[in-house]
Amino acid sequence: DVRGLHAYYTELAERFAEAGVDAVAIDYFGRTAGVGGPAERGEGFDFLAQVPQTKPETIQADIAAAAAFSGCILKRPDHASPYVGRGNAYSQLQRPKDAEAEFRRVITLAPNNPTVHQWYATCLLGMGRVEEALAASRRAVALDPLSAVIINDQASVLLSARRYNDAFVAARRALELDSTFAYTRVVL
């Protein structure tokens, strides 16, 4: 489909991977038109305007990134880091369900990693699952109660949950831990 990566090709690449065959599905216009497939871009999508902006080197970079994550996972399927990277990549690509799956896998492999719980909370929040995001955020803070970044993210989750007093307390705590942390001032 000229409007983007069709779900068929994503699923086909996943089936190949399950069978042990290297496969990558890439949206050639993801860098120029934004992430989205045919449904998001609609019938009126002007793909011809995107073609001159699509460069072989950026496509190669996407392929290399996918291969790097896959290669790391193949070498160390029990190691959490490549799944974290892939989860973050999916988050950036606005594929929250895929990101969630990767973060859940990391939590299984490294349940005491506070950063993964923090990112998982952000992922869940992005999907509108506020109560689950709150729980993941609480777990992240419990694992690393001295991280201004994690506590700041908790303040954001609390703010989204309309728990304003709790959000304020968390933001103040983040600033106590790191008075130079500018992102906390946005929450306040």
Side-chain angles (χ1 to χ4, degrees):
D1 194 317
V2 295
R3 293 173 292 164
L5 180 60
H6 194 279
Y8 168 82
Y9 293 104
T10 301
E11 292 170 14
L12 181 64
E14 289 170 357
R15 299 300 84 75
F16 276 131
E18 289 168 358
V21 176
D22 291 337
V24 175
I26 294 178
D27 178 357
Y28 289 113
F29 304 135
R31 288 178 183 251
T32 60
V35 178
E40 291 88 0
R41 292 188 182 143
E43 292 294 327
F45 176 68
D46 183 10
F47 76 94
L48 287 175
Q50 304 303 314
V51 171
Q53 299 177 61
T54 304
K55 306 289 182 208
E57 57 270 14
T58 58
I59 293 169
Q60 289 301 316
D62 290 344
I63 293 168
F69 284 128
S70 297
C72 290
I73 289 169
L74 286 173
K75 288 178 185 172
R76 300 273 319 266
D78 60 334
H79 198 267
S81 294
Y83 299 107
V84 171
R86 202 160 63 180
N88 282 331
Y90 284 142
S91 290
Q92 294 297 314
L93 293 171
Q94 298 174 1
R95 292 175 52 185
K97 290 181 182 178
D98 293 324
E100 178 187 14
E102 297 302 327
F103 292 141
R104 289 175 66 89
R105 183 174 292 146
V106 175
I107 289 169
T108 300
L109 293 170
N112 295 322
N113 182 322
T115 305
V116 174
H117 290 278
Q118 169 198 3
W119 291 335
Y120 185 46
T122 303
C123 176
L124 292 167
L125 187 61
M127 293 190 292
R129 292 161 53 188
V130 177
E131 291 303 315
E132 291 173 83
L134 284 167
S137 179
R138 279 191 299 273
R139 178 72 176 139
V141 171
L143 290 167
D144 191 351
L146 300 178
S147 169
V149 174
I150 289 174
I151 294 171
N152 179 72
D153 279 7
Q154 182 183 46
S156 296
V157 173
L158 289 162
L159 193 60
S160 296
R162 300 177 187 257
R163 292 178 48 186
Y164 304 116
N165 289 337
D166 293 336
F168 180 77
V169 169
R172 297 292 305 169
R173 176 68 179 136
L175 280 176
E176 287 171 9
L177 292 167
D178 184 351
S179 62
T180 66
F181 195 60
Y183 293 111
T184 301
R185 298 190 188 287
V186 172
V187 174
L188 290 174

